[in-house]
């Protein structure tokens, strides 16, 4: 792994700007290397003419330039280390004094108690045995007086216990910080060595003098005595922790503290995107997605086959003309499904059903693409890339003029690719940039932990607060990333629960359901909303969207919460550990990112009022892209980490929708559906279409359902006697998000079903998910077709 990656993955996030700037040093080295090559090429005399020093002298100049850069980095590191060490040592002295005071108080309380003192003393040393001791006392002699004294000590014990827990948390936090400071020194020491090696390799000579042993290792943080003192302070924390947690057993204290350090590193330093990658691996592991044509669903079999263990012979078919050998690949289920889809495509393309060839070809492409998306025999985004290829090759589009002539391949190419890149795609990219900035700089996490830390200790309140946090995060960092972030935040709550408690199940389900509901909450919360905007004319403003959707989301969350309280009883056996509030204060960078985000959202809300200046919401989406990437807050790596598969998926859906409309197929479908729903009002059509969409989106991806159905819904709405296409499209998009009856109905559900405890056991079963997911979907459906419908009519959709 490159050292710049090592620094990125091992640095303490809050200290990131105080590590050695290895990337900047590399850039300086490469610029010096380029300058040296230029001087060498120009030659001695040309160099003098250009007021450049000769190459022999230039290396000394390079040494001076690079040494200045190293000195600046070393000064930064030394200053930070001294300040951080001073703060941590002061906290260590305070902790020592507080623990001494605690022991004095505990001893006084212990000696002052009456006949129940032995029990109280033992409770001080072992909190978890309190209930067992109480039961043991009753079973042995039923001594009423002893029990009374025992209960009298409960109040004192509770206070002592709270102090003890707080001291343990402080000791753990101090141990983690001191360990991180030790790692900080080691990482920076390695960085200086790597930078000097890089310099020697690129410039062709080592820098004069031994910089690391003579300069770096003589600086205060890198002195042997400094490192020894830091180790001694860590050992002191071990002893202090042992005195209040492990009955003085220092070895056990070391094990406990190291375990806490590992948990801290995993939780604090795991970004949302890395956790999402891990969940995608889990999804593949549990077989929730297809692997592709050339990869089986059994990774063990694949590994054996690659080693030749299962190098099975081909299938042989004997005929009169000889033996036909067929590879076993074509006999797996994935290949069979693909073959059926291809056969359906060929049949639809061949059997005449229309007067013109364009709708015939478009119908074949529509059915084939829908089947490929629904079965996922090839990845979703690959199907999307296949769509424009088929549209152009089979000439499935016509011109938009009054003659509606069939376009040839070159004209069809221009027509389709011009349609695929729209302002809505830019809106999606702008949303990704906001999500990346909020996640990378911990803004979303700070806000979430602050809210959850104020949720109290009542299980029902914690559950409701967690669901609203998931809803809020889904609005801004997408309903794909939000459940991952929420699950990382509530890990301390999950780890403290008894195996028989339903509270962790309710929390995980609540996050999944709320994230699905959060997929409605803003136009950038989910791809189906972006697809809806593409099919709405005129596009509603963000303010109108919020006016409709926020009440719908709130009522849906409350109803689902009540349903889970009644069916799961999360309070039974729940042990609530209060979420630790983040001590991180907003710095200037976080304030700047928040300001840009709020300004962008405000402009989106009044997009129609500023239309004469900016033209469209997609143009406004360029603002966060330019600001965040232009200032260096987001990097090229962040840009590459965008969910480009979703972008391609949306573009393929737009291309298919354009073809369905241009070919005339959409008019034909709309006429047929209009005949079925004739006599129904707009509300009846929404109820019927809504139930159909809810069922379809439950079994296939929310996004795929939107890609297939929203263009048809828009056309049906436009063809009605009382046309309300925007109302039906928005209602259909919201209903796509609330389809959450199965574990595979959307990424939040997949995230929930893949969540496991420390032993790798899943918290949720498929049966539990279905029995709560289906009622949750129905409740959200009822809210949308009642409250949502009324609000859409108020707005004028």
């Amino acid at each position: 792994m490159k050292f710049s990656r090592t620094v990125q993955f091992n640095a303490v996030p809050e200290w990131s700007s105080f590590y050695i700037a290895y990337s900047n040093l590399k850039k300086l080295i490469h610029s010096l290397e380029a300058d040296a090559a230029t001087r060498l090429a120009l030659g001695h005399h040309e160099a003098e003419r250009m007021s450049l020093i000769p190459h022999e002298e230039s290396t000394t100049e390079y040494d001076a330039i690079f040494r200045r850069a190293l000195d600046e980095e070393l000064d930064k590191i030394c200053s930070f280390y001294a300040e951080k060490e001073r703060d941590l040592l002061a906290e260590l002295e305070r902790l020592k004094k507080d623990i001494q005071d605690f022991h004095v108080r505990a001893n006084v309380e212990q000696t002052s108690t009456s006949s129940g003192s032995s029990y109280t003393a033992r409770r001080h040393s072992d909190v978890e045995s309190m209930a067992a001791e109480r039961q043991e006392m009753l079973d042995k002699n039923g001594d009423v007086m002893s029990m009374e004294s025992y209960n009298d000590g409960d109040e004192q014990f509770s206070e002592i216990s709270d102090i003890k827990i707080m001291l343990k948390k402080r000791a753990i936090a101090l141990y983690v910080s001191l360990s991180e400071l030790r790692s900080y020194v080691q990482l920076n020491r390695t960085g200086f060595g790597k930078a000097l090696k890089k310099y020697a390799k690129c410039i062709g000579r080592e820098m004069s003098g031994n910089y690391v042993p003579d300069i770096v290792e003589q600086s205060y943080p890198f002195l042997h005595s400094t490192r020894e003192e830091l180790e001694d302070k860590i050992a002191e924390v071990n002893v202090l922790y042992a005195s209040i947690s492990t009955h003085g057993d220092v070895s056990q204290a070391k094990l406990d503290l190291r375990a806490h350090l590992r948990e801290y590193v995993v939780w604090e330093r795991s970004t949302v995107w890395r956790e999402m990658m891990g969940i995608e691996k889990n999804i593949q592991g549990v077989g929730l997605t297809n692997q592709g044509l050339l990869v089986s669903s059994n990774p063990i079999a694949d590994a054996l086959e690659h080693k030749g263990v299962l190098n099975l012979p081909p299938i042989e078919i004997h005929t009169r003309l000889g033996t036909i050998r067929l590879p076993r690949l074509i006999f797996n289920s994935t290949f069979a499904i693909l073959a059926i889809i291809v056969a359906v495509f060929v049949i639809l393309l061949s059997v005449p059903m229309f007067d013109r060839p364009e709708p015939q070809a478009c119908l074949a492409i529509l059915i084939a693409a829908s089947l490929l998306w629904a079965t996922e025999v090839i990845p979703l985004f690959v199907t999307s890339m296949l769509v424009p290829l088929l549209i152009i090759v089979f000439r499935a589009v016509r011109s938009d003029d009054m003659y509606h002539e069939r376009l040839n391949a070159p004209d069809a190419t221009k027509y389709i690719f011009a349609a695929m890149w729209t302002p809505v795609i830019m809106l999606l990219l702008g949303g990704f940039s906001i999500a990346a900035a909020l996640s990378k700089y911990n803004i979303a996490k700070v806000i979430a932990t602050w809210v959850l830390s104020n949720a109290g200790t009542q299980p029902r309140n914690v559950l409701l607060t967690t669901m609203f946090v998931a809803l809020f995060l889904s609005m801004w960092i997408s309903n794909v990333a939000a459940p991952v972030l929420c699950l990382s935040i509530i890990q301390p709550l999950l780890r403290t629960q008894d195996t028989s408690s339903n509270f962790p199940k309710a929390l995980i389900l609540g996050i999944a359901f709320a994230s699905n509901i959060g997929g409605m909450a803003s136009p950038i919360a989910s791809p189906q909303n972006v697809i809806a905007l593409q099919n709405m004319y005129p596009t509603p403003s963000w303010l109108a969207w919020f006016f409709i959707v926020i009440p719908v989301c709130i009522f849906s969350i409350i109803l689902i919460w009540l349903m889970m309280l009644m069916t799961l009883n999360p309070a039974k056996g729940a042990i609530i550990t209060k979420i630790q509030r983040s001590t991180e204060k907003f710095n200037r960078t976080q304030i700047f990112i928040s300001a840009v985000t709020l300004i962008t959202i405000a402009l989106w809300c009044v997009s129609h009022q500023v239309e004469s200046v900016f033209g469209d919401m997609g143009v406004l989406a360029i603002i966060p892209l330019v600001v965040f990437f232009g200032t260096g807050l987001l990097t090229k790596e962040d840009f590459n980490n965008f969910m480009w598969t979703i972008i391609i998926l949306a573009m393929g859906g737009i291309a298919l929708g354009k073809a369905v409309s241009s070919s005339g197929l959409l008019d034909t479908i709309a006429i047929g559906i209009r005949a079925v729903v004739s006599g129904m009002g707009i509300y009846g059509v929404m109820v019927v279409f809504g139930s159909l969409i809810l069922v379809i989106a439950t079994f296939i991806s929310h996004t795929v359902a939107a890609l297939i159905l929203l263009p048809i819904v828009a056309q049906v709405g436009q063809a009605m006697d009382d046309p309300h296409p925007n109302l039906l499209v928005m209602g259909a998009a919201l209903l796509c998000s609330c389809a959450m009856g199965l574990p595979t109905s959307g990424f939040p559900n997949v995230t929930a079903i893949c969540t496991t405890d420390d032993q790798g056991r899943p918290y949720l079963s498929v049966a539990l998910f279905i029995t709560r997911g289906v009622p949750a979907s129905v409740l959200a459906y009822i809210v949308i077709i009642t409250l949502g419908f009324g609000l859409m009519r108020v707005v004028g959709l």
Side-chain angles (χ1 to χ4, degrees):
M1 181 185 291
K2 294 183 178 180
F3 184 73
S4 55
R5 291 283 187 142
T6 302
V7 174
Q8 180 183 355
F9 290 149
N10 292 282
V12 180
E14 294 81 5
W15 303 354
S16 57
S17 58
F18 299 101
Y19 285 81
I20 182 172
Y22 183 73
S23 297
N24 292 343
L25 291 175
K26 273 178 50 178
K27 290 177 183 177
L28 176 60
I29 291 169
H30 289 314
S31 66
L32 295 176
E33 180 185 25
D35 184 69
T38 302
R39 295 184 183 198
L40 185 62
L42 287 171
H44 179 77
H45 299 294
E46 185 67 5
E48 286 186 334
R49 187 181 68 79
M50 296 181 65
S51 301
L52 297 175
I53 60 176
H55 179 66
E56 292 77 13
E57 298 177 15
S58 66
T59 53
T60 304
E61 181 190 26
Y62 296 157
D63 284 357
I65 293 172
F66 191 58
R67 189 185 182 106
R68 282 198 300 269
L70 292 175
D71 288 342
E72 290 175 3
E73 294 301 315
L74 184 59
D75 290 341
K76 175 185 71 177
I77 292 166
C78 291
S79 300
F80 176 78
Y81 181 91
E83 179 183 358
K84 185 59 65 174
E85 182 191 57
R86 184 173 60 251
D87 294 342
L88 294 178
L89 294 185
E91 171 59 16
L92 177 59
E93 292 302 317
R94 289 192 296 269
L95 180 62
K96 288 165 63 175
K97 182 180 182 304
D98 291 343
I99 289 178
Q100 289 172 358
D101 293 342
F102 168 78
H103 286 307
V104 170
R105 177 174 178 182
N107 290 332
V108 171
E109 301 258 351
Q110 186 176 16
T111 56
S112 65
T113 53
S114 58
S115 59
S117 61
S118 61
Y119 296 102
T120 305
R122 290 205 306 277
R123 283 178 290 171
H124 288 159
S125 62
D126 190 359
V127 175
E128 294 179 354
S129 66
M130 180 179 68
E133 289 179 345
R134 186 189 298 263
Q135 187 61 45
E136 181 184 358
M137 180 181 293
L138 287 172
D139 292 342
K140 284 184 176 180
N141 51 28
D143 189 345
V144 178
M145 293 301 295
S146 295
M147 284 305 301
E148 288 177 354
S149 62
Y150 189 103
N151 291 329
D152 290 339
D154 276 351
E155 185 175 351
Q156 293 176 340
F157 162 68
S158 179
E159 185 177 355
I160 291 289
S161 177
D162 290 343
I163 296 172
K164 185 176 181 180
I165 291 171
M166 184 59 64
L167 290 174
K168 285 174 62 176
K169 288 181 178 179
R170 286 176 57 188
I172 292 168
L174 184 57
Y175 176 85
V176 169
S177 297
L178 289 171
S179 299
E180 288 179 328
L181 195 61
R182 177 176 58 189
S183 175
Y184 173 81
V185 173
Q186 295 168 347
L187 200 58
N188 284 304
R189 166 63 179 80
T190 304
F192 282 109
K194 293 281 187 182
L196 287 163
K197 277 188 178 181
K198 188 76 174 178
Y199 178 85
K201 179 180 178 181
C202 294
I203 302 301
R205 61 183 292 276
E206 293 186 356
M207 195 174 73
S208 58
N210 296 320
Y211 190 85
V212 171
D214 295 342
I215 305 299
V216 175
E217 293 183 352
Q218 302 308 313
S219 301
Y220 177 71
F222 305 93
L223 290 173
H224 182 68
S225 57
T226 304
R227 285 182 281 140
E228 280 190 338
E229 183 181 4
L230 185 58
E231 292 293 341
D232 291 339
K233 299 305 179 185
I234 292 174
E236 280 189 45
V237 176
N238 281 325
V239 174
L240 291 172
Y241 184 84
S243 70
I244 58 171
S245 181
T246 61
H247 311 295
D249 187 345
V250 178
S251 298
Q252 184 60 43
K254 288 181 180 178
L255 294 175
D256 291 352
L257 288 172
R258 286 172 184 169
H260 285 296
L261 178 61
R262 284 194 297 271
E263 289 180 0
Y264 174 86
V265 169
V266 170
W267 184 47
E268 283 296 317
R269 300 188 194 175
S270 292
T271 64
V272 170
W273 306 113
R274 253 184 290 163
E275 289 177 5
M276 285 171 59
M277 289 167 59
I279 286 175
E280 288 178 355
K281 292 179 182 178
N282 288 338
I283 295 169
Q284 293 177 356
V286 298
L288 291 175
T289 60
N290 289 311
Q291 306 286 327
L293 286 174
L294 300 179
V295 183
S296 74
S297 59
N298 188 340
I300 298 175
D302 274 346
L304 292 173
E305 187 170 3
H306 289 162
K307 293 180 179 180
V309 178
L310 293 181
N311 190 13
L312 299 175
I315 301 293
E316 293 185 352
I317 301 176
H318 301 285
T319 66
R320 293 180 179 179
L321 300 177
T323 301
I324 301 174
R325 291 180 175 85
L326 299 175
R328 290 183 179 270
L329 168 68
I330 66 175
F331 291 95
N332 66 34
S333 58
T334 302
F335 193 91
I337 294 172
L338 182 62
I340 292 171
I341 293 173
V342 171
V344 170
F345 175 73
V346 173
I347 291 171
L348 290 174
L349 204 62
S350 306
V351 178
M353 288 180 284
F354 299 92
D355 295 333
R356 299 189 57 164
E358 300 94 318
Q360 181 86 34
C362 194
L363 177 64
I365 295 169
L366 174 64
I367 298 299
S370 300
L371 291 173
L372 288 172
W373 275 326
T375 58
E376 295 187 56
V377 291
I378 59 176
L380 297 176
F381 71 96
V382 176
T383 300
S384 290
M385 290 191 289
L386 183 63
V387 166
L389 173 66
L390 296 177
I391 291 171
I392 292 165
V393 169
F394 291 98
R395 300 175 60 192
V397 289
R398 302 185 297 197
S399 63
D400 289 335
D401 56 25
M402 61 183 295
Y403 301 106
H404 296 301
E405 295 180 348
R406 191 179 191 186
L407 296 179
N408 56 33
D411 292 337
T413 300
K414 297 174 186 177
Y415 183 83
I416 287 297
F417 279 93
M420 289 173 69
W421 187 264
T422 67
V424 173
I425 299 298
M426 283 306 305
L427 181 66
L428 202 55
L429 286 172
F432 285 168
S433 68
I434 289 175
L438 294 177
S439 175
K440 181 177 181 178
Y441 291 92
N442 276 340
I443 296 171
K445 190 169 186 177
V446 169
I447 295 172
T449 53
W450 180 83
V451 174
L452 288 174
S453 67
N454 293 302
T457 57
Q458 288 292 330
R460 61 176 181 273
N461 295 341
V462 174
L463 175 60
L464 183 62
T465 305
T466 303
M467 292 176 70
F468 274 113
V469 167
L471 169 68
F472 177 78
L473 293 177
S474 296
M475 293 176 67
W476 310 118
I477 64 171
S478 86
N479 67 341
V480 174
V484 180
L485 178 58
C486 288
L487 286 171
S488 71
I489 292 172
I490 65 164
Q491 279 303 313
L493 276 177
L494 298 180
R495 287 195 296 266
T496 59
Q497 301 306 310
D498 187 83
T499 54
S500 62
S501 173
N502 282 336
F503 184 58
K505 299 174 183 177
L507 271 181
I508 296 169
L509 280 174
I511 289 171
F513 296 155
S515 298
N516 280 300
I517 298 298
M520 315 175 192
S522 75
I524 59 172
S526 61
Q528 49 267 29
N529 295 354
V530 176
I531 297 165
L533 292 177
Q534 181 68 28
N535 288 278
M536 298 172 76
Y537 307 98
T539 303
S541 69
W542 276 49
L543 198 59
W545 188 286
F546 287 151
F547 177 81
I548 297 165
V549 173
I550 296 301
V552 169
C553 290
I554 292 173
F555 274 89
S556 298
I557 292 288
I558 292 174
L559 289 176
I560 294 171
W561 171 69
L562 291 173
M563 180 270 293
M564 287 199 293
L565 290 183
M566 291 186 290
T567 61
L568 278 176
N569 190 17
K572 183 180 179 181
I575 304 170
I576 303 297
T577 302
K578 193 173 182 181
I579 294 290
Q580 189 69 30
R581 179 180 298 185
S582 175
T583 57
E584 179 185 352
K585 294 184 178 179
F586 264 33
N587 54 37
R588 292 181 179 178
T589 301
Q590 291 171 317
I591 293 172
F592 176 74
I593 291 170
S594 301
V596 172
T597 300
L598 292 174
I599 290 171
T600 304
I601 294 169
L603 289 172
W604 277 333
C605 289
V606 296
S607 57
H608 290 314
Q609 285 73 17
V610 296
E611 192 173 24
S612 60
V613 178
F614 294 101
D616 189 273
M617 284 189 291
V619 179
L620 292 169
I622 299 175
I623 294 174
L625 283 164
V626 171
V627 173
F628 293 153
F629 286 99
T631 57
L633 293 172
L634 295 179
T635 63
K636 180 174 67 176
E637 185 177 347
D638 297 312
F639 189 76
N640 293 337
N641 285 335
F642 279 3
M643 290 180 284
W644 291 103
T645 54
I646 291 181
I647 298 287
I648 297 297
L649 186 62
M651 293 176 74
I654 292 170
L656 183 59
K658 189 69 174 177
V660 171
S661 174
S662 171
S663 65
L665 176 63
L666 192 59
D667 292 331
T668 304
I669 294 173
I671 292 171
I673 296 177
R674 186 173 58 181
V676 174
V677 299
S678 60
M680 287 188 185
I682 186 67
Y683 183 73
V685 172
M686 183 172 176
V687 171
V688 172
F689 261 100
S691 57
L692 177 64
I693 289 167
L694 189 67
V695 172
I696 293 174
T698 298
F699 289 94
I700 65 175
S701 163
H702 296 170
T703 304
V704 171
L707 285 170
I708 298 170
L709 298 173
L710 293 190
I712 298 173
V713 170
Q715 188 68 14
V716 170
Q718 185 64 49
M720 293 183 67
D721 295 333
D722 182 17
H724 289 282
N726 279 7
L727 187 149
L728 289 180
V729 169
M730 186 168 185
L734 301 186
L735 287 164
C736 285
S737 293
C738 76
M740 45 194 168
L742 296 176
T744 53
S745 300
F747 194 88
N749 294 18
V750 175
T751 305
I753 200 69
C754 291
T755 303
T756 58
D757 61 16
D758 295 336
Q759 284 74 43
R761 297 171 300 191
Y763 283 102
L764 304 176
S765 66
V766 174
L768 178 68
F769 211 112
I770 293 174
T771 54
R772 273 68 183 182
V774 172
S777 301
V778 173
L779 289 172
Y781 167 79
I782 292 172
V783 174
I784 291 170
I785 64 171
T786 54
L787 177 63
F789 179 83
L791 292 173
M792 284 187 272
R793 293 304 300 266
V794 170
V795 170
L797 294 184

